[in-house]
Amino acid sequence: MIQKIELENFKGFKVLRLDQFSRITLLGGENSVGKTSILEAIFLFFDRGNAELVLRQFSWRGMSRLFLSPDQLFYPIFNEYSPKENIVITLTIDGRKEALRISFSDKIPEKKATLQFRGNTNSTRSEDKPVIHGKLDFEYLPPSGQSERSSLVVTAKGLSLRDVNTKPERRPAIYLSPRQPSSPAEDAQRFGELDLHGGVNEAVNFLKVLDNRIQGLSSIFYGDSAVIHADIGFSRKVPVPQLGEGLAFMLSMFLAMSAVKNGTLLVDEIGTGVHHTLLPKFWSGIADAADHFKCQVIATTHSYECMQAAATGLRSLLEPKFSYIRLDREKDAVKPSVYSFPVLEAALDSGWEVR
């Protein structure tokens, strides 16, 4: 489980250190203070072997069209859009520090070359090597052992991951946002794994918090794609997305937790689409699922009702299982304030502004 996070030169943070992460951690604060960026930094740490690791971050924020240039693709992840200083993401996981160092370079020794190929017929042909416009170098520093390296290169033809010397990540992580939810195909695949191990009834009970008509779930194929359907007592089953965005996103969260066992689920704007009267039961269900699947949930919220509901729905949790971290911008720095469960509950009861 992630216990601490340290960021250097990542997006809006020159330096940031967050302690006291729990099984369920909720991040709050004003707009543009960096709540979502923290989730992105954590996911970037675990996604370091993926050639689309930078593109994912843009798509989560609704940016689907970009120019293939370093200043468009790489600069935004650096503090103040300046790649002169390296990014360092350090996580303390189960008491051990692991770090990821990210550096940028546009000084590529060989910009263009002509390659000669000789076939069995002794004929030759030439091929232009793509011009490299810039690259990100990733160096993962484990608690012990040899470091792992890779480079993300941008050319006129696109992005590619090169010189890969990384091992498959053993701790899975999934990022979810109402703006960029799981695709029906991803949900269907995770549902299939859940069904294979007899966990569908657990998903049904989880969804009944929002709609108690749900009696069962099944995955139904349309051509080569599948959509999860719910039995709500009609003459035919209904696609879950047609029952509302809140219910569909809630199902995506449950399926993500089932797929990220012993890993981390990152949720931006948790509770979106859930009626305020149902939020306490929603949080109770999140806590039960996180315990059942042994996954960690780190989420953001702007909602005072969501925090109040967390205090109500998670009241039965033991102290180490929940924490709330509020971020405040002071001059050029972001300062975190950690609220344990009793402190948050007291602040909410007193009417303090803790969002």
Side-chain angles (χ1 to χ4, degrees), residues 308-318 341 345 349:
Q308 288 179 313
T312 301
L314 304 178
R315 184 172 285 121
S316 61
L317 287 185
L318 297 177
F341 186 85
E345 194 171 34
D349 289 343

Side-chain angles (χ1 to χ4, degrees), residues 77-117:
I77 70 171
F78 289 86
N79 182 245
E80 296 184 356
Y81 278 60
S82 175
K84 295 180 180 179
E85 296 187 50
N86 296 342
I87 294 170
V88 181
I89 303 171
T90 305
L91 304 186
T92 300
I93 303 174
D94 297 330
R96 304 193 308 168
K97 277 192 174 184
E98 307 178 26
L100 178 67
R101 183 184 295 122
I102 306 172
S103 58
F104 170 77
S105 175
D106 59 358
K107 298 177 180 179
I108 312 300
E110 188 175 292
K111 290 288 185 180
K112 192 172 184 179
T114 299
L115 307 180
Q116 299 292 328
F117 298 91

